[in-house]
Amino acid sequence: MKNKVRFYRSVNFKIALTFILILFISIEIIGAYFIRGLERSMIENYKDSMDTQAETLSGTIGTYLSRQDVDPADINNEIQRILDSSDSADILEMRVVDEKGIIRATTDVNDRSSIGKKSIDSYIDQFTDKSFIALDETTGNRVLINIRVLESVGDVVIGSLYIRGDLEKQYQEISNIALIFVSATLIAIGIAIVVSMLVARSITQPIGEMREQALRIAKGDYSHTVDIKARDELGQLAETFNQLAERIEETQEAMEAERNRLNSVLTYMTDGVIATDRRGRVIMINEMALSLLNLKQEESIGESILKLLDLEEEYTLRALLENTEEMLLERSSNVSHMERLILRVDFSMIRRESGFISGLVAVLHDVTEQEKTEQERRDFVSNVSHELRTPLTSMRSYIEALHDGAWKDEEIAPHFLEVTLEETDRMIRMINDLLSLSKMDSGNAQLQLEFVNFNNLVNFVLDRFDMMVTNTEKDYKIQREFTKRDLWLEIDTDRIIQVIDNIMNNAIKYSPDGGTVTVRLIETHNHVILSISDQGMGIPRSDLAKVFDRFYRVDKARARQQGGTGLGLAISRDVLKAHGGSIWAESREHYGSTFFISLPYEPYEEEWWD
Ligand code: ADP
């Protein structure tokens, strides 16, 4: 993220460079004008002063030169004297030439010998006033040449004055000044660099800080604020930046809270929820859905929902979106693969306001239990109808026979009536059983709990059976093996008696003549267990658990013949369940069966009674 800006691309550099360039250009322009002006005025001044000097000299020398009364040699001496007296350092040579071109005097010490000879400089002979810059032929230096015409009183030309001034000195001075200018420029630029750097830094530093802040915000760190150093535009920007960070933090927190809330709602939902994107790929799946589908988070995110639900072959995503609102799926349970899990899946689309479909939400409900209950209910209704139809049909055929004239037959008629009575009894029993079952089912069966001595209770039931043995056609013997301790239990006496009755009846019913029924009563540390064993036909292993189901009978014909309804054990199971106890059976075919009931028991109560 933190890529460094190259120095020459930085705002720092650009500001400094602009600053320096502007400075440099302005100094250059000013310098050029200044030096040009300086040069012109210096040369002009020099020229003017030379002009004045020439003017004065030419007057004086002209007067001397026009004198006829003096010896020419004296005149020459006088002129030489005048020239020498007005000679100065910046004048290279002053020379006087007469109208014939003869040199009369010169300040050039090395050229004194040329006095009295004809001058060879062509421009001296022209006898016109002029002033111009020329290059010295011998030295190559720039020189200013001033020529003045010497006149006598009647404006007659009598010679000329020639002055050669040294310009190099002036130029030297100008270049000295220019040099000062250049060095001043360099110093100014140096200072400008430092100043511009400082200025640029004062601009870029807050910007850099704001960039850092932006990077931190992007990473989700809101703890820093930008220092506000100045009350300028950058200061305002920094302030806005801090406010922005605050706002983002608030929004972020609000969103986070919202997301957490949504997450916890989804996590603790008892339904499975799967959300997908537009293409049906899973983007969210909650814990419940994972456990219902027996999947792991990693393997489901990004996977197609059709694949997760095993619908690839039957449905396309389009079909799912367009038609299906609800469907039932069967899955093997994650606990044991034998058990089937039935899931109801509701689909709904996620639509934007524009109507664009942006995804799909599937809600999964575990309806296994519901479906099972539903199936049981259907089975139950069909069983009940079937069970009632059988006795009714048989009764109808007997009554029909009686109606057709059998009632006159004194031998048959009582028997037929007896059978119909038996069938009616059986139906009443069955309907009573069904009623008590339905009471249990709807939870209306309030237990009439009382504290009883369980040993006495069992004895009481068994005594009745002992009494009955003489009245029934079957012979049997009851053997009691009880614990010595008295067991006090809080139970609904009538119902528990009903259970023991039922098991005892079965034990006698499904045993051959002359069998022994052994009844044992034992206690564990928190349960009382009553077992009733017979020496009867036994129950096949595969039927052992099913005998507690409603209407289940191992041998239907035989059971019915015995007058059984197939509801006794089912009722027993419900009664024990209501007591917090349980019932189960063990059996060996052809050797006998043992039914166990267990009831919760708290042993210390006995001591408490003592
Ligand atoms: P039923 O009224 O038919 O006896 P139950 O619910 O009491 O109904 O018993 C269900 C079935 O369990 C019986 O039909 C019978 O096949 C079997 N069964 C119950 N007790 C015994 C037993 N002691 N020995 C053999 N089979 C038994």
Side-chain angles (χ1 to χ4, degrees):
M1 265 302 251
K2 202 173 169 170
N3 41 3
K4 206 132 173 70
V5 180
R6 298 248 173 89
F7 176 70
Y8 61 85
R9 288 212 182 123
S10 67
V11 175
N12 245 339
F13 176 74
K14 284 176 193 161
I15 291 177
L17 187 74
T18 318
F19 212 74
I20 292 159
L21 273 181
I22 290 174
L23 187 81
F24 186 71
I25 290 168
S26 13
I27 289 179
E28 272 315 295
I29 292 170
I30 294 169
Y33 272 101
F34 176 74
I35 292 185
R36 225 14 294 109
L38 187 76
E39 181 186 330
R40 195 173 299 140
S41 85
M42 274 183 88
I43 301 294
E44 215 54 56
N45 277 348
Y46 187 59
K47 224 179 190 172
D48 285 353
S49 75
M50 201 179 262
D51 265 352
T52 327
Q53 196 176 6
E55 185 86 54
T56 338
L57 276 179
S58 65
T60 327
I61 294 171
T63 324
Y64 272 97
L65 201 61
S66 59
R67 280 175 65 175
Q68 304 290 331
D69 50 335
V70 190
D71 178 30
D74 288 341
I75 293 173
N76 283 2
N77 284 340
E78 190 54 30
I79 295 171
Q80 187 66 46
R81 196 188 52 78
I82 294 168
L83 288 184
D84 286 344
S85 71
S86 60
D87 195 9
S88 68
D90 50 1
I91 288 176
L92 293 173
E93 185 192 359
M94 284 191 275
R95 195 191 299 172
V96 176
V97 181
D98 65 17
E99 81 278 14
K100 289 176 199 100
I102 307 288
I103 300 170
R104 305 290 293 264
T106 175
T107 54
D108 189 349
V109 193
N110 307 323
D111 206 23
R112 284 274 156 86
S113 54
S114 62
I115 294 175
K117 289 181 188 152
K118 196 159 165 67
S119 170
I120 41 167
D121 289 328
S122 56
Y123 43 72
I124 292 182
D125 319 329
Q126 290 164 3
F127 300 111
T128 42
D129 286 353
K130 52 181 161 187
S131 164
F132 59 93
I133 295 170
L135 274 183
D136 194 300
E137 277 153 20
T138 45
T139 58
N141 284 346
R142 276 163 293 192
V143 288
L144 182 70
I145 293 174
N146 200 316
I147 297 171
R148 284 268 154 181
V149 178
L150 302 176
E151 290 167 344
S152 66
V153 185
D155 283 351
V156 181
V157 175
I158 48 166
S160 70
L161 170 68
Y162 163 89
I163 304 176
R164 192 154 52 96
D166 183 10
L167 267 185
E168 269 328 303
K169 256 196 192 141
Q170 311 299 322
Y171 281 113
Q172 186 61 44
E173 217 158 296
I174 291 167
S175 63
N176 279 347
I177 291 173
L179 208 65
I180 292 171
F181 209 87
V182 168
S183 50
T185 304
L186 287 178
I187 292 169
I189 286 175
I191 293 170
I193 287 175
V194 174
V195 171
S196 66
M197 286 298 226
L198 288 176
V199 170
R201 250 179 79 83
S202 78
I203 294 171
T204 54
Q205 194 178 347
I207 294 177
E209 273 177 35
M210 278 183 265
R211 178 170 180 269
E212 294 282 308
Q213 172 78 335
L215 287 175
R216 279 196 293 266
I217 292 174
K219 276 188 208 141
D221 174 9
Y222 304 103
S223 54
H224 291 72
T225 48
V226 183
D227 264 356
I228 300 167
K229 292 201 181 86
R231 290 262 138 231
D232 55 7
E233 291 88 332
L234 280 173
Q236 283 175 351
L237 184 62
E239 204 177 313
T240 317
F241 224 81
N242 288 341
Q243 285 166 1
L244 183 73
E246 235 168 75
R247 294 278 310 162
I248 293 177
E249 187 178 9
E250 278 166 23
T251 319
Q252 188 76 19
E253 271 169 12
M255 270 165 64
E256 194 68 28
E258 200 57 41
R259 203 173 45 220
N260 283 344
R261 204 156 37 224
L262 188 67
N263 265 349
S264 53
V265 167
L266 284 174
T267 308
Y268 296 114
M269 247 173 101
T270 49
D271 286 336
V273 179
I274 305 174
T276 75
D277 63 7
R278 196 157 51 83
R279 298 202 179 77
R281 279 194 292 256
V282 174
I283 47 177
M284 195 280 307
I285 180 162
N286 73 349
E287 284 298 318
M288 196 61 194
L290 288 172
S291 104
L292 285 177
L293 297 173
N294 198 14
L295 289 169
K296 288 205 176 60
Q297 177 97 21
E298 316 82 72
E299 59 190 27
S300 22
I301 295 291
E303 198 55 72
S304 154
I305 187 166
L306 291 172
K307 198 171 166 202
L308 286 195
L309 300 178
D310 274 339
L311 295 173
E312 279 167 309
E313 278 154 35
E314 301 144 74
Y315 289 93
T316 60
L317 193 67
R318 178 159 284 275
L320 215 60
L321 287 173
E322 279 172 1
N323 306 319
T324 319
E325 298 230 304
E326 184 184 307
M327 64 168 71
L328 285 182
L329 290 181
E330 214 169 291
R331 281 275 179 142
S332 61
S333 142
N334 53 358
V335 188
S336 97
H337 283 275
M338 294 295 286
E339 261 176 66
R340 297 304 287 173
L341 199 65
I342 300 165
L343 301 177
R344 196 181 77 222
V345 191
D346 294 293
F347 291 98
S348 51
M349 282 179 280
I350 312 172
R351 271 181 197 276
R352 300 242 179 90
E353 272 169 30
S354 58
F356 177 77
I357 298 170
S358 60
L360 188 72
V361 170
V363 180
L364 280 67
H365 313 269
D366 181 357
V367 289
T368 316
E369 213 42 49
Q370 240 166 292
E371 283 293 307
K372 220 167 100 188
T373 320
E374 191 61 21
Q375 189 55 43
E376 273 172 10
R377 196 188 57 80
R378 282 194 289 266
D379 290 350
F380 186 68
V381 171
S382 101
N383 278 334
V384 169
S385 329
H386 187 77
E387 293 295 331
L388 288 176
R389 199 179 58 192
T390 317
L392 277 173
T393 331
S394 89
M395 270 164 70
R396 193 184 185 283
S397 53
Y398 282 107
I399 292 170
E400 199 174 28
L402 287 168
H403 177 75
D404 287 349
W407 63 277
K408 290 182 207 141
D409 189 326
E410 282 189 16
E411 272 193 23
I412 307 173
H415 173 64
F416 276 18
L417 283 172
E418 202 180 313
V419 175
T420 42
L421 259 179
E422 266 174 24
E423 289 293 343
T424 317
D425 280 348
R426 201 157 74 89
M427 284 205 314
I428 291 173
R429 262 204 317 278
M430 190 183 288
I431 286 169
N432 280 337
D433 282 356
L434 282 172
L435 276 174
S436 59
L437 265 179
S438 115
K439 264 193 200 160
M440 297 272 191
D441 276 353
S442 57
N444 281 345
Q446 281 275 325
L447 293 181
Q448 304 291 324
L449 292 180
E450 49 190 327
F451 224 42
V452 292
N453 184 317
F454 195 58
N455 314 48
N456 291 348
L457 182 98
V458 180
N459 275 324
F460 166 76
V461 179
L462 296 186
D463 289 347
R464 267 199 347 214
F465 275 91
D466 273 340
M467 301 269 289
M468 273 185 339
V469 73
T470 46
N471 304 341
T472 49
E473 64 258 45
K474 260 189 193 165
D475 189 29
Y476 53 84
K477 230 176 85 206
I478 298 174
Q479 191 178 327
R480 310 176 197 204
E481 292 174 13
F482 286 11
T483 167
K484 289 205 177 60
R485 199 203 294 252
D486 276 344
L487 306 169
W488 287 85
L489 295 181
E490 201 177 17
I491 49 173
D492 185 329
T493 329
D494 287 346
R495 288 182 193 272
I496 293 292
I497 290 177
Q498 194 186 355
V499 172
I500 303 171
D501 263 347
N502 185 43
I503 298 172
M504 282 302 294
N505 265 325
N506 282 348
I508 296 162
K509 230 167 29 180
Y510 301 109
S511 293
D513 216 13
T516 305
V517 178
T518 312
V519 181
R520 293 190 185 86
L521 185 58
I522 55 164
E523 94 250 46
T524 67
H525 69 289
N526 54 2
H527 278 100
V528 165
I529 295 172
L530 177 75
S531 69
I532 299 173
S533 312
D534 62 52
Q535 296 171 329
M537 51 198 277
I539 305 167
R541 180 177 283 275
S542 57
D543 293 311
L544 215 51
K546 295 183 196 155
V547 295
F548 299 99
D549 289 349
R550 293 169 189 189
F551 297 115
Y552 193 86
R553 282 162 293 201
V554 177
D555 180 346
K556 271 202 194 300
R558 186 188 169 131
R560 205 168 283 135
Q561 186 201 324
Q562 303 277 356
T565 58
L567 293 170
L569 288 177
I571 294 174
S572 304
R573 185 182 59 183
D574 284 358
V575 168
L576 281 159
K577 213 164 143 192
H579 278 84
S582 56
I583 179 166
W584 69 100
E586 284 172 3
S587 182
R588 247 184 96 194
E589 238 179 319
H590 311 303
Y591 285 90
S593 320
T594 304
F595 280 81
F596 298 88
I597 65 171
S598 136
L599 282 162
Y601 167 59
E602 290 170 60
Y604 57 84
E605 302 261 340
E606 194 185 4
E607 285 143 37
W608 182 72
W609 276 102
D610 291 341

